[in-house]
Every structure is written in C-alpha cells, then in structure tokens.
Amino acid sequence: CPAMACLGTPSKEQIDAINRSCVTTLYLAFDNDEAGMRFNQIFHQALSKRILLLDVVIPHPAKDVGDLSYDAFWKAVDEAK
C-alpha cells in the first residue's frame, strides 16, 4: 500500500498533493511527542473532509514507528481510530 513520510513539518505541497489524490483513507502515524501531536492536528484541519483519517497511536515508551516491532506496528495500525 502507498506510504508517505513528511520528514519534519508537513508542507503545504504535501497536503495539497494528498487533497488532489484519490486517497479516501489515510493512516496518520506521527512521532509520540509534542511535535507529532501538532502535525496530527495540522493534517486533521487541512485535509479534505472526504478523506477518512485514522490515528495510529504509538504506544509508550516507543517514540516512533521505527521503535516498534513488526507485530506491534500492525497491532497499532489495526487499532487506529
């Protein structure tokens, strides 16, 4: 399945590209810190309402998806809301 990494602050170009795409569901898996929460809010406010946004919660003490095992990652994706 397609994936995109922001690698920092989500840009207007990235948000515009998503809004112009045929994407109907988007899983958001930002870092487990203040910046990640802020980026999550930016996406929820800026993306088209036609796109279903599901938040992947990175369980503590992990900082980001790179800290998760394969199984823990897919469990977090399955539990996204």
Side-chain angles (χ1 to χ4, degrees):
C1 62
M4 179 184 92
C6 291
L7 302 175
T9 305
S11 71
K12 180 179 179 340
E13 290 79 16
Q14 289 171 316
I15 290 170
D16 289 346
I18 295 168
N19 280 330
R20 286 190 313 269
S21 75
C22 60
V23 168
T24 57
T25 302
L26 186 64
Y27 288 81
L28 303 175
F30 290 105
D31 289 359
N32 198 3
D33 58 14
E34 250 184 77
M37 289 185 284
R38 190 170 54 252
F39 298 155
N40 186 286
Q41 288 178 327
I42 289 170
F43 268 76
H44 274 272
Q45 292 170 356
L47 290 177
S48 170
K49 299 302 179 211
R50 69 173 178 74
I51 300 172
L52 173 63
L53 300 177
L54 299 171
D55 295 321
V56 176
V57 176
I58 308 300
H60 288 284
K63 181 187 178 303
D64 57 35
V65 296
D67 292 340
L68 300 178
S69 68
Y70 178 87
D71 291 335
F73 169 76
W74 285 109
K75 182 177 187 298
V77 169
D78 288 342
E79 294 174 353
K81 298 176 187 172

